Amino acid sequence: MKKLSLLRHAKSGWDDPVSRDFDRPLNDKGKRASKAIGAFIKDNDLAYDQILASPAVRVIETLEHVEEACGLSMEPTWDRKIYLASSATLLDVLRGANADAEHILMVGHNPGLEDLIFDLVPDDGSSEARDAVEQKYPTAALAEMNLDIESWEDIAENSGMLVRFTRPRDLDPELGPDYS
């Protein structure tokens, strides 16, 4: 049994005058949401054996704020393949993960992360968490799955069970869609 957590980067600033999407930084709401998720990680004693992350600026900044709030040392493996990746590409990245890692945190972008959940977790109507992801996988949301695999090389469709889906607004209503 392996565990996989997926963290979508926090809200970035579209009004920032950067020339490339890759370089967009977090906005203030994204910084607050990252810290809320970091506090959640600390409060729930979550720990990761390996962190795989997109090197986009908004992912780097998300992890910096999560690290600050949770007190864990976040030393990700930066992988350009994760940037705006499809579910299939994310599966390939996971198949190359550290064999000794029991719990991996992958930090990246939608729609790839959301699609990865749908590919890994069967739609059998029994998961309220999966239903919540179907409604929306917002920025800075953290999805946690148990995978019925012994090795990361064996990760495949329908091998997971979504055990928890935490959105920033679940932790602080001011981080919901009705607030700026």
Side-chain angles (χ1 to χ4, degrees):
M1 175 87 67
K2 300 283 189 184
K3 293 184 104 171
L4 174 63
S5 292
L6 301 176
L7 176 62
R8 184 175 174 200
H9 67 78
K11 194 160 191 64
S12 57
W14 284 97
D15 55 348
D16 200 281
V18 296
S19 60
R20 299 183 316 157
D21 173 75
F22 188 86
D23 297 324
R24 276 191 295 119
L26 297 184
N27 64 20
D28 288 339
K29 184 177 179 180
K31 293 173 187 175
R32 290 192 323 267
S34 297
K35 289 177 183 175
I37 290 294
F40 175 83
I41 288 169
K42 180 179 182 177
D43 293 345
N44 288 276
D45 295 319
L46 300 177
Y48 308 103
D49 302 311
Q50 185 176 15
I51 300 171
L52 302 170
S54 160
V57 169
R58 58 194 179 273
V59 172
I60 293 169
E61 291 183 359
T62 296
L63 280 172
E64 288 171 351
H65 291 288
V66 166
E67 179 179 35
E68 178 185 327
C70 74
L72 294 175
S73 177
M74 300 276 180
E75 297 178 21
T77 300
W78 304 107
D79 191 333
R80 181 75 183 223
K81 290 181 286 205
I82 297 172
Y83 176 67
L84 302 181
S86 68
S87 174
T89 299
L90 296 174
L91 280 170
D92 285 342
V93 170
L94 287 165
R95 286 183 185 114
N98 181 337
D100 296 331
E102 294 299 317
H103 191 176
I104 289 179
L105 173 64
M106 180 176 271
V107 189
H109 313 267
N110 251 6
L113 291 179
E114 181 177 313
D115 291 342
L116 182 59
I117 292 170
F118 297 148
D119 288 345
L120 290 174
V121 179
D123 185 11
D124 60 9
S126 67
S127 173
E128 288 182 28
R130 191 181 190 287
D131 293 344
V133 173
E134 281 188 27
Q135 289 176 14
K136 183 171 183 172
Y137 192 152
T139 53
L142 181 68
E144 300 171 67
M145 288 172 272
N146 290 333
L147 301 171
D148 189 19
I149 58 172
E150 295 298 318
S151 167
W152 290 106
E153 294 174 347
D154 300 331
I155 194 168
E157 291 187 15
N158 298 318
S159 63
M161 179 174 66
L162 189 61
V163 295
R164 182 165 36 190
F165 181 59
T166 307
R167 303 165 298 190
R169 71 175 173 230
D170 300 329
L171 308 172
D172 179 350
E174 289 187 11
L175 294 171
D178 297 331
Y179 295 88
S180 58

